[in-house]
Amino acid sequence: MEDALASSLGRLASLASALGSNPSDGQLEQLSSACSAALTNAQGQPPGPAQQRQLWEAAAGLWNSSIDLGSAGNESGGGAEAGGGTGRRRVAATLLQAACDLCTPLAPDALLPPNQLHLAGEAWARLGELEAAEAVLSRGSEAAAALAPVAFERRGRGPRHQEAASLLFSLLLERLRAALRLSQQMLSGELISRAAEFVGDARLPPGEALALRLALIGLLREEGQRLAQAGSAAAAAPLLSAAYDALSGVELEGEEGEEGGLAAEVQAIGGQVLTLLAWCSAEAGEAERALSCLQALQQVAGTAAAAHFSSSYLSLRCLLQLGRTGEAEAQLLNLVSHEEATPEACLAGLTAALAAPGGAALARAALPMVVERFAEEPGLVVELVRAALQAATAAAATTVDAADGAAGGDPTATAGTGGGEGPGGAGGGRVGAAAQPHAPAAAAAAAAEELVLELVADDRLLESVCEPASQGAGGGGGGTGGGTLPLRRRLIALLWNHAAQRLASGAGAAAAHAFFAAVLPLLERGGSRGSTQEGCGHSDGEEPQPAACHRSMALCCLGAGQHGRALESLAAADRLEPAAVPTAMLRLTVQLAAGRHDGAAAAVATLAACPGSDADVLRLACCQCMEAGAPRAARQALECLLELCAGDAGGASSAPPAQQCQLAPGLEATAFQNLIKLLLDAPAEEPPPEQAAAAGASPQHQPAARRRAFKVAAVFDRLSARVQAAGAGAFFALEQPGGPGRAQLEWLALEAWNAGQRAGSAGALQQAAVLLAVCGELHAALPAPGAVGLHRQKMAFLMAAACACEVHEAQLAQQLQQQQQQAEAGAGGGGGAADSAPAPGAANPGAASAPAHGGSASLSLSRSYLTAARGAAAGLDTQQAVAGVEAAAGAGEGQAGPGGDAKADVYLLLLDFKLCLLGGDVAGQLQALARARALPAFGAHHFGMAAALARGGSRSGGGGGSGRGLGTGPAPLPPSSPEVCRAAEAARLHRLTQDTPLDYAAAAAALRRLVELSPGDDERLELLGEAAGLLSAAPPGAYPPQELRWLVTTAWNRGAVHARFGRPAEAGQYQRWAASALRHSAELAGEYQARGCGLAGVGSHHVAVTPGNGGAMRGSDAAEEA
């Protein structure tokens, strides 16, 4: 055992000597392990004298090492705060701990172990290791318990007894301090009681007892003040009460010499303890206890302490808590009038008064004195403004909470207002119960705000706040030591933020306006434009500009419904900051709120002209106009947005270059869609009846429909141009997966079709053509269109071509009418042409007459639209062929051609034929007829329509129907060439002969027209042969008798002409055909049999042939025939 102990102690000594001045954590751990090993070896059995000596020597070595380490730190000049000082103290504490541990096995009555434990505990406490300190001090108290008889021994008392008493009490106080810092309340209470008993023990001499008592009071006061400053007033109050109780036990016999100085010290300590106790009680809400402490302070501290301004401040706080307003006002006046009262103390008193219910009146009573006294301390007033605004905000929050509570209460309670307007106002109505709880809070908020407005309206304050920094720094807690300019910015921030908060609350527009108006003079009195300031609600801490203040005032007026005043404020903002986007945007909001839609449209135009306006601004303006129910202003915003988009895309735009920006994909398409929707949904704007009648339409509907058609067509035309310029994929953002581009494209195409149909019904044919053509272009822009899309595209272009054709005919009719009027005026000797009425379907009913060549443009457009329709039909036919689907059958009209729609294909060919006819294209007409013969759905009545068009005849065309653009129009069509007419009639006859049952009447009529149009005998004889076949196949009576009579008479007379001129062969052919045809009509044969061999032409233009001359004609007759 001895060898093991000696070995462990030797190792411990070597480790201690090797520590140096800056040991590592590993060395300290090794030292602790060696100490533990030595203790283990020493505790196996009671150490003998030799072992005790070894332990004492080891402990003394560790002790001396700790002292040497502390001395080295002091000699280096680093001090406690220098680098490495904390580590050095930690090493010293570790050495002291090890020395104490080694002394544990020694005799318990030895003085060294408790002293070492005391020093080690103090060392750990200074390091903040409170748990370690409490553990060591607890061991020290146990070790020092044996010293109690020595400490309280009165006989032969000397330094040894005093040191023992001091060590015991020091251990007790240090342990109490550690327990308080660790918040060990039960242990702290026990230690305080033990310390009080210790100092009250009668065995101690009075001098020693007084010194120990004062040490206890000092510790309790120090820890109580620490807790109070940390915000734990409730925890500090018991400590201060214990300090006051300990102080009450002090008894001094005299007041002269040393005793007199001690009495003064005790009196000062008592004043401090009572003041702290009163403050903690006030903080804890125990106003009565605090007032008791202040009364006791007057008795203990005398007149000087009672007259200190802190006593007035604490009394003010307590009286305010108790609601004793009159006494509180007296204390506040005492505080601000005290000669030694600092600006901070006066500000604290006023702040406390403002925070109390009805405190604004108290503050107003003391305010003149404070302002007059601290006229050179503008910072005090600024901080007072801050306190008043905080009080107003708190009262306003109470009002809101009470209002919310009332709203969730009894639903049958009468709702009223505290104002003078409305049924619940001051005009005699009953104020509801829901308004009563928060009325005092609202009044308090208003009073605090009124106080602030009075303060900032003082010219002296404005001058002092806005003076240059060289004229004095701000004081009273409000100054920064850097001049008065920061105070100005701080005051602006306070007023501005409160105004913004009141405005955001939704119920303080009037108050917010007043505060913004108070900020305005401060802004106008100077300050750098971009100066930094805290809390003004602007980015980068910039000071708000006067223009922004005027805008804020306008916003307040808007919230109060004062639209006129709002516009005045905005006009002032415009003068200070012209063409500002926020001003223009707010003006639009005011106009919309006032219901002035014309003014809103003008505001939108102004907004678009601002340099800072962009697509997002205009889009927001459009949404705002739509929500306000102002479609005209919304259309204006969309028009400006589209103009901006055109400028950004490289088109012509009047927008400033600063406005051009990168647009979001599909934004322009969305703008067009919304603009068209607005135009379509807008109610019709009816003109005066006389203007509508002058336009040649119904006063109730037609003029308004035409005007809408003009507007819609113009927008669709712009849309088409932009799509062509940008490309459909980029314009509609079709490449975005899941985007709305395709839906927008289809919607626009559908609306263009519907608008075109309505325009055509209203007679606006040119606009109808534009709309239908745009519809076709939009369908053509669809990526990978299906059969339905191609069919719609074909029909749109086809109808557009028909409308353009009608426009061309209307223009021709107008030119013809003008020429007739000019001719009549020239024949009558008139000096000028008469006014001409516009033709139906003209581009603009009110415009001037079109030029003579104006129809060619419409005709060219019609042909281009028809070409596009033919292309769509070909694409549809190709798609169906690839899909392996046969063309759909026409509805009772045979098989369809390219495009899969029989009626549409027939219509296309008829329109193609008419356009060639209008253009004088004979070859084109013949090609159209050839394509029609190849189309099974193109029936006999359709060829009849083509023949009628070629003859320039009526619309019916031999019983066939007509569609848009297929009639003769307002002006007669020029007759086509005989070749075209013959081709049309021949095709008609061919179709008729293929029909079952055969329409003999129609076939006979077609045959008669062909005979009339035949240029020579060969063609006539061929036709007569075809007629013979029809007659042979016809049932009895099926062939019209009159037509048969016409054929027989025509053939006989033609033969008679040839006979007169000596052409017997030709005459014989005709007359033999006539004779053979008589067998098909018994009635007709009997009639001619009764006449003999001769035939008289009934209704013909030829000379009759008599039976006596054998059919020969005289020369004079031949001359007449020629």
Side-chain angles (χ1 to χ4, degrees), residues 428-462:
R430 181 171 63 91
V431 178
Q436 294 176 2
H438 60 272
E449 289 176 341
E450 184 180 356
L451 178 64
V452 172
L453 293 175
E454 291 179 5
L455 275 174
V456 298
D458 192 339
D459 293 335
R460 294 179 301 173
L461 172 64
L462 292 178

Short mmCIF file of all heavy atoms in Angstrom, two decimals, residues 428-462:
data_model
loop_
_atom_site.label_atom_id
_atom_site.label_comp_id
_atom_site.label_asym_id
_atom_site.label_seq_id
_atom_site.Cartn_x
_atom_site.Cartn_y
_atom_site.Cartn_z
N GLY A 428 -78.43 61.00 -32.26
CA GLY A 428 -79.63 60.64 -31.52
C GLY A 428 -79.87 59.16 -31.48
O GLY A 428 -80.74 58.70 -30.77
N GLY A 429 -79.10 58.38 -32.28
CA GLY A 429 -79.30 56.93 -32.28
C GLY A 429 -78.72 56.31 -31.02
O GLY A 429 -77.87 56.86 -30.34
N ARG A 430 -79.14 55.07 -30.71
CA ARG A 430 -78.66 54.36 -29.53
C ARG A 430 -77.37 53.63 -29.87
O ARG A 430 -77.30 52.90 -30.84
CB ARG A 430 -79.72 53.34 -29.08
CG ARG A 430 -79.30 52.56 -27.84
CD ARG A 430 -80.47 51.74 -27.33
NE ARG A 430 -80.88 50.75 -28.31
CZ ARG A 430 -80.38 49.52 -28.33
NH1 ARG A 430 -79.46 49.17 -27.46
NH2 ARG A 430 -80.79 48.65 -29.24
N VAL A 431 -76.35 53.86 -29.07
CA VAL A 431 -75.08 53.19 -29.27
C VAL A 431 -75.21 51.75 -28.79
O VAL A 431 -75.68 51.49 -27.68
CB VAL A 431 -73.95 53.91 -28.50
CG1 VAL A 431 -72.64 53.16 -28.69
CG2 VAL A 431 -73.84 55.34 -28.98
N GLY A 432 -74.80 50.80 -29.65
CA GLY A 432 -74.97 49.40 -29.32
C GLY A 432 -74.02 48.96 -28.23
O GLY A 432 -72.99 49.58 -27.95
N ALA A 433 -74.36 47.82 -27.65
CA ALA A 433 -73.53 47.30 -26.57
C ALA A 433 -72.18 46.83 -27.08
O ALA A 433 -71.20 46.82 -26.36
CB ALA A 433 -74.25 46.13 -25.90
N ALA A 434 -72.13 46.47 -28.35
CA ALA A 434 -70.86 45.98 -28.89
C ALA A 434 -69.83 47.09 -29.00
O ALA A 434 -68.64 46.84 -29.03
CB ALA A 434 -71.08 45.35 -30.26
N ALA A 435 -70.26 48.34 -29.08
CA ALA A 435 -69.33 49.45 -29.25
C ALA A 435 -68.82 49.99 -27.92
O ALA A 435 -67.86 50.71 -27.89
CB ALA A 435 -69.99 50.57 -30.04
N GLN A 436 -69.48 49.64 -26.82
CA GLN A 436 -69.12 50.27 -25.54
C GLN A 436 -67.80 49.78 -24.96
O GLN A 436 -67.03 50.58 -24.44
CB GLN A 436 -70.25 50.03 -24.54
CG GLN A 436 -71.55 50.75 -24.93
CD GLN A 436 -72.67 50.43 -23.98
OE1 GLN A 436 -72.47 49.72 -23.01
NE2 GLN A 436 -73.84 50.98 -24.25
N PRO A 437 -67.44 48.48 -25.05
CA PRO A 437 -66.21 48.05 -24.38
C PRO A 437 -64.96 48.71 -24.93
O PRO A 437 -64.03 48.99 -24.18
CB PRO A 437 -66.20 46.53 -24.63
CG PRO A 437 -67.61 46.17 -24.90
CD PRO A 437 -68.19 47.36 -25.60
N HIS A 438 -64.88 48.96 -26.24
CA HIS A 438 -63.63 49.48 -26.79
C HIS A 438 -63.69 50.98 -27.02
O HIS A 438 -62.78 51.53 -27.61
CB HIS A 438 -63.30 48.76 -28.10
CG HIS A 438 -64.35 48.91 -29.17
ND1 HIS A 438 -65.40 48.06 -29.28
CD2 HIS A 438 -64.49 49.83 -30.15
CE1 HIS A 438 -66.16 48.42 -30.30
NE2 HIS A 438 -65.62 49.49 -30.85
N ALA A 439 -64.76 51.65 -26.62
CA ALA A 439 -64.83 53.10 -26.79
C ALA A 439 -63.74 53.82 -25.99
O ALA A 439 -63.10 54.74 -26.52
CB ALA A 439 -66.22 53.61 -26.43
N PRO A 440 -63.48 53.47 -24.71
CA PRO A 440 -62.40 54.16 -23.99
C PRO A 440 -61.04 53.96 -24.64
O PRO A 440 -60.22 54.89 -24.69
CB PRO A 440 -62.44 53.52 -22.59
CG PRO A 440 -63.83 53.00 -22.46
CD PRO A 440 -64.22 52.55 -23.82
N ALA A 441 -60.79 52.76 -25.15
CA ALA A 441 -59.50 52.52 -25.81
C ALA A 441 -59.36 53.36 -27.07
O ALA A 441 -58.30 53.91 -27.35
CB ALA A 441 -59.35 51.03 -26.14
N ALA A 442 -60.45 53.46 -27.83
CA ALA A 442 -60.39 54.29 -29.03
C ALA A 442 -60.16 55.75 -28.68
O ALA A 442 -59.40 56.46 -29.35
CB ALA A 442 -61.69 54.13 -29.83
N ALA A 443 -60.81 56.21 -27.62
CA ALA A 443 -60.61 57.60 -27.19
C ALA A 443 -59.17 57.82 -26.73
O ALA A 443 -58.58 58.87 -26.99
CB ALA A 443 -61.59 57.94 -26.08
N ALA A 444 -58.60 56.82 -26.03
CA ALA A 444 -57.21 56.95 -25.59
C ALA A 444 -56.26 57.02 -26.77
O ALA A 444 -55.31 57.81 -26.78
CB ALA A 444 -56.86 55.78 -24.67
N ALA A 445 -56.51 56.19 -27.77
CA ALA A 445 -55.67 56.23 -28.97
C ALA A 445 -55.76 57.57 -29.66
O ALA A 445 -54.75 58.15 -30.09
CB ALA A 445 -56.07 55.10 -29.92
N ALA A 446 -56.98 58.09 -29.78
CA ALA A 446 -57.15 59.39 -30.43
C ALA A 446 -56.47 60.50 -29.64
O ALA A 446 -55.87 61.42 -30.22
CB ALA A 446 -58.64 59.68 -30.60
N ALA A 447 -56.55 60.42 -28.30
CA ALA A 447 -55.92 61.46 -27.47
C ALA A 447 -54.40 61.42 -27.62
O ALA A 447 -53.74 62.47 -27.70
CB ALA A 447 -56.32 61.27 -26.01
N ALA A 448 -53.83 60.21 -27.66
CA ALA A 448 -52.38 60.10 -27.82
C ALA A 448 -51.95 60.63 -29.19
O ALA A 448 -50.93 61.32 -29.32
CB ALA A 448 -51.94 58.66 -27.64
N GLU A 449 -52.71 60.31 -30.22
CA GLU A 449 -52.37 60.81 -31.56
C GLU A 449 -52.51 62.33 -31.62
O GLU A 449 -51.68 63.00 -32.26
CB GLU A 449 -53.29 60.15 -32.58
CG GLU A 449 -52.99 58.67 -32.79
CD GLU A 449 -53.96 58.02 -33.75
OE1 GLU A 449 -55.05 58.59 -33.98
OE2 GLU A 449 -53.64 56.94 -34.27
N GLU A 450 -53.51 62.85 -30.95
CA GLU A 450 -53.67 64.32 -30.94
C GLU A 450 -52.49 64.99 -30.24
O GLU A 450 -52.02 66.05 -30.67
CB GLU A 450 -54.98 64.67 -30.24
CG GLU A 450 -55.30 66.15 -30.24
CD GLU A 450 -56.61 66.46 -29.55
OE1 GLU A 450 -57.30 65.51 -29.15
OE2 GLU A 450 -56.93 67.66 -29.41
N LEU A 451 -52.01 64.34 -29.18
CA LEU A 451 -50.85 64.88 -28.47
C LEU A 451 -49.63 64.92 -29.39
O LEU A 451 -48.88 65.91 -29.41
CB LEU A 451 -50.57 64.02 -27.24
CG LEU A 451 -49.35 64.40 -26.40
CD1 LEU A 451 -49.53 65.79 -25.79
CD2 LEU A 451 -49.08 63.37 -25.32
N VAL A 452 -49.43 63.86 -30.16
CA VAL A 452 -48.29 63.81 -31.07
C VAL A 452 -48.41 64.90 -32.13
O VAL A 452 -47.43 65.60 -32.46
CB VAL A 452 -48.19 62.42 -31.73
CG1 VAL A 452 -47.14 62.41 -32.82
CG2 VAL A 452 -47.86 61.38 -30.68
N LEU A 453 -49.60 65.06 -32.68
CA LEU A 453 -49.79 66.07 -33.71
C LEU A 453 -49.54 67.47 -33.16
O LEU A 453 -49.02 68.34 -33.87
CB LEU A 453 -51.20 65.96 -34.30
CG LEU A 453 -51.48 64.66 -35.09
CD1 LEU A 453 -52.93 64.59 -35.51
CD2 LEU A 453 -50.57 64.58 -36.30
N GLU A 454 -49.92 67.71 -31.92
CA GLU A 454 -49.62 69.01 -31.30
C GLU A 454 -48.12 69.21 -31.14
O GLU A 454 -47.61 70.32 -31.36
CB GLU A 454 -50.31 69.10 -29.94
CG GLU A 454 -51.83 69.20 -30.01
CD GLU A 454 -52.45 69.26 -28.63
OE1 GLU A 454 -51.69 69.33 -27.63
OE2 GLU A 454 -53.69 69.23 -28.53
N LEU A 455 -47.42 68.14 -30.79
CA LEU A 455 -45.97 68.26 -30.61
C LEU A 455 -45.28 68.60 -31.94
O LEU A 455 -44.46 69.53 -32.00
CB LEU A 455 -45.41 66.95 -30.06
CG LEU A 455 -45.45 66.77 -28.54
CD1 LEU A 455 -44.99 65.36 -28.19
CD2 LEU A 455 -44.59 67.80 -27.85
N VAL A 456 -45.60 67.85 -32.97
CA VAL A 456 -44.89 68.04 -34.23
C VAL A 456 -45.35 69.30 -34.96
O VAL A 456 -44.70 69.73 -35.93
CB VAL A 456 -45.07 66.82 -35.15
CG1 VAL A 456 -44.49 65.59 -34.51
CG2 VAL A 456 -46.54 66.59 -35.49
N ALA A 457 -46.46 69.90 -34.52
CA ALA A 457 -46.90 71.15 -35.13
C ALA A 457 -46.18 72.36 -34.56
O ALA A 457 -46.37 73.48 -35.06
CB ALA A 457 -48.42 71.31 -34.96
N ASP A 458 -45.37 72.15 -33.53
CA ASP A 458 -44.64 73.25 -32.91
C ASP A 458 -43.50 73.68 -33.83
O ASP A 458 -42.63 72.88 -34.19
CB ASP A 458 -44.09 72.79 -31.55
CG ASP A 458 -43.58 73.96 -30.73
OD1 ASP A 458 -43.28 75.02 -31.31
OD2 ASP A 458 -43.49 73.82 -29.50
N ASP A 459 -43.50 74.94 -34.22
CA ASP A 459 -42.47 75.44 -35.13
C ASP A 459 -41.09 75.38 -34.50
O ASP A 459 -40.09 75.15 -35.19
CB ASP A 459 -42.78 76.88 -35.55
CG ASP A 459 -44.02 76.95 -36.42
OD1 ASP A 459 -44.35 75.93 -37.06
OD2 ASP A 459 -44.66 78.02 -36.46
N ARG A 460 -41.03 75.58 -33.19
CA ARG A 460 -39.72 75.52 -32.53
C ARG A 460 -39.12 74.12 -32.64
O ARG A 460 -37.92 73.96 -32.83
CB ARG A 460 -39.85 75.93 -31.07
CG ARG A 460 -40.23 77.38 -30.86
CD ARG A 460 -40.34 77.68 -29.37
NE ARG A 460 -41.35 76.82 -28.74
CZ ARG A 460 -41.56 76.77 -27.42
NH1 ARG A 460 -40.83 77.52 -26.61
NH2 ARG A 460 -42.50 75.98 -26.93
N LEU A 461 -39.98 73.11 -32.49
CA LEU A 461 -39.49 71.74 -32.61
C LEU A 461 -38.97 71.47 -34.01
O LEU A 461 -37.90 70.89 -34.20
CB LEU A 461 -40.60 70.75 -32.26
CG LEU A 461 -40.28 69.28 -32.52
CD1 LEU A 461 -39.15 68.83 -31.62
CD2 LEU A 461 -41.51 68.41 -32.31
N LEU A 462 -39.74 71.92 -35.01
CA LEU A 462 -39.30 71.69 -36.39
C LEU A 462 -37.97 72.37 -36.65
O LEU A 462 -37.07 71.81 -37.31
CB LEU A 462 -40.36 72.20 -37.37
CG LEU A 462 -41.69 71.42 -37.40
CD1 LEU A 462 -42.65 72.06 -38.39
CD2 LEU A 462 -41.45 69.96 -37.75
#
